[in-house]
Amino acid sequence: MRTFLLRRLWQSLVVLLGVSFVVFLILHLTGDPALVLLSPEATPEDVRRFREAMGFNDPFIVQYWRFLAGALRGDFGQSVRHGEPAFGLVVERMPATFELAGAALLLALVLSIPAGIVSAVRRNTALDYVSTVIALLGQSMPTFWLGIMLILLLSVQLQLLPSSGRGGLEHLILPAVTLGLFTTARITRLTRSGMLEVLNQDYIRTARAKGVSDPPVVWKHALKNAAIPIVTIVGIELGTLLGGSVITETIFAWPGVGRLSVQAIYNRDYPVVQASVFLLATTFVVVNLLVDLIYTYLDPRIRLTR
Amino acid sequence: MSVDARAIALADEPRAERAEWLVFLRRLSTRRTALFGLAVVVLVVITAVAAPVLSPFDPIEQDLGDLRLKAPGFRDAAGRLHPLGTDHLGRDLLARVIYGARPALMVGFAAVVISGVIGMMTGLVSGYFGGRVDDVLMRLADIQLAFPFILLAIAVIGVLGPSLKTIIAVIGVSSWVVYARIVRSAVLSLREREFVQAALALGSGDGRVLIRHILPNALTPWLVVATLDMARVIVIESALSFLGLGVQPPTPTWGGMLADGRVYISTAWWLATFPGLAILVTVLGINLFGDGLRDTLDPRLKV
């Protein structure tokens, strides 16, 4: 167990190191970070001075080292647009993004797990078909279109819910539904297929043959084992949700990291872009580390095989 | 003598023979939803290819006079019908929806080919050689997966500037992980099979074994992943266009049309509705076909 923990921790560190390198590379893609950072009106003299001041003439590895040392201290440079440290700007918006992603995940779990179980237990009934079709549509529907259609219907036509901004619960509903639908669909399908697989196994048949009635079979025996893939995908889905927040926050003017980073890209405010990408990726890595630790408790076999 | 030994040793190798293909096609054709999906995909492809023939109007030609923001079913002064209405620049919406299939499918197909090839090679090497190489490649996969995909894509496209080539390259290069993982796990089990062991024992080199014996058998899961991934790529292409980082105007893209539609949401509902429906139908078709393909080829595949 200890070696597993240490190995997993080490892997996460390696991944974070890789993440930092990719984030560093973003600025160097065109070969000249000075031109990326400066406005197109800058004179060649400006560019030269800026290059000198920022150390862009140093060897590549030295520049990366400086970036990494800065990133570890939370220093990604100043936001070009806001004149504040980029890191602080991003951290300020994190709670809003977590609120949205958390609400979307909660919604997804509350809807999808019961739907998946019912679908599996009542296989090939009308209920199963309805849930399967909804899940299929949910998986095929682009987030941004869903968001716009919800605004059209519920905000513009019926005027039931606000279409933008962050505030009370009524502000959270539309963005959370929009962001959560894809995840809901995916977990519904996964729960259904996971349950079907487990329900066909010998020990379930044994339990049934011994006269255990249906509901306890489902709850005590089947769900516990079907839960393992679900827990795994929750960690991965968090990545989808954090990524999806970029679009959803833009549509609903939700003041989170996603919207901040899209605006930063439009404004060529790359320190903010780098800080956003780095922090969201770090969040993802940390959450997945936690998820892995949780499911080693659910399924002790994993400790041995990984 | 050695020829005989080889023939015997390799006799149990599963080959994609004609008969197998026929069985596969027969089984696939019993799945109505998969066939429906395929039909939808074929229709969309035909629409994209034959856009100039099918489209009633030029998708780019503007008319800022009295053709702006007309509702579906509108007939202009010349008596020509605009079935889906017109947009804020007086362009026919149906024509734009039809032409919008082109960038979507082009990006979808090209990106899937690029990421599919990268993923196939990575998965083959990783699964076959194992050890250090495997460790390094799988850590690279973890790093790739740690990024919120859309955010990384828009950051990179923001720096490089949006164009069809950049979009294809960015999506293609950063989507290889699913392929690598599924191919790797297929290779891990294939490597231990008798026909592979036999080929090795008979002196075939690693390269030959990988290409001739393992790759053909790892193609099945790869194909399923490629199909389903194409749906994802098309959504991403639309999302990028929606954010203004896709193929640039005046080329019509579904995502770009949606972005316009969002601006006019309270006055012209059709602008945002129809391009979105086009994306939904296309992606749904691909998903249905992909699901059917998976269930026919290998129901246990976790993709």
Side-chain angles (χ1 to χ4, degrees), chain B residues 32-56:
Chain B
R32 271 179 301 167
T33 50
L35 286 184
F36 176 73
L38 182 63
V40 170
V41 175
V42 169
L43 272 179
V44 176
V45 172
I46 292 175
T47 307
V49 174
V53 184
L54 291 171
S55 172

Side-chain angles (χ1 to χ4, degrees), chain B residues 62-68 88-90:
Chain B
Q62 304 181 1
D63 186 329
L64 298 174
D66 47 3
L67 264 183
R68 297 183 65 231
H88 58 296
L89 297 175

Side-chain angles (χ1 to χ4, degrees), chain A residues 241-259:
Chain A
L241 291 175
L242 289 177
S245 71
V246 174
I247 307 266
T248 311
E249 288 179 6
T250 305
I251 295 173
F252 291 98
W254 186 266
V257 183
R259 181 155 173 264

Side-chain angles (χ1 to χ4, degrees), chain A residues 6-175:
Chain A
L6 286 175
R7 222 179 112 198
R8 196 61 194 72
L9 209 63
W10 169 244
Q11 284 178 357
S12 298
L13 279 176
V14 172
V15 169
L16 281 178
L17 201 67
V19 165
S20 73
F21 187 66
V22 175
V23 171
F24 164 75
L25 269 187
I26 291 176
L27 266 189
H28 292 259
L29 279 173
T30 56
D32 191 351
L35 290 181
V36 173
L37 284 170
L38 286 176
S39 79
E41 289 102 63
T43 63
E45 177 59 20
D46 291 340
V47 175
R48 198 193 57 76
R49 254 204 313 262
F50 185 72
R51 214 176 268 152
E52 191 65 42
M54 297 292 285
F56 290 146
N57 293 327
D58 295 338
F60 197 66
I61 191 78
V62 174
Q63 292 188 50
Y64 171 60
W65 176 249
R66 200 158 43 217
F67 172 82
L68 186 65
L72 287 176
R73 282 182 281 116
D75 179 10
F76 287 86
Q78 297 278 317
S79 157
V80 181
R81 176 92 175 175
H82 302 268
E84 291 172 46
F87 184 76
L89 274 173
V90 176
V91 170
E92 248 169 52
R93 312 285 180 109
M94 288 297 250
T97 295
F98 288 157
E99 180 186 321
L100 180 57
L105 187 62
L106 189 71
L107 188 80
L109 290 174
V110 166
L111 291 176
S112 64
I113 294 182
I117 293 173
V118 169
S119 248
V121 176
R122 301 263 168 273
R123 194 183 180 184
N124 293 334
T125 61
L127 263 179
D128 180 23
Y129 292 140
V130 169
S131 125
T132 305
V133 167
I134 293 178
L136 195 66
L137 281 175
Q139 241 186 345
S140 306
M141 199 175 291
T143 316
F144 43 102
W145 187 60
L146 175 69
I148 294 172
M149 288 297 110
L150 287 176
I151 290 178
L152 179 62
L153 194 68
L154 295 173
S155 303
V156 177
Q157 299 290 332
L158 302 175
Q159 311 211 326
L160 284 178
L161 292 165
S163 66
S164 68
R166 183 182 178 214
L169 191 63
E170 74 272 15
H171 282 91
L172 188 57
I173 296 176
L174 289 188

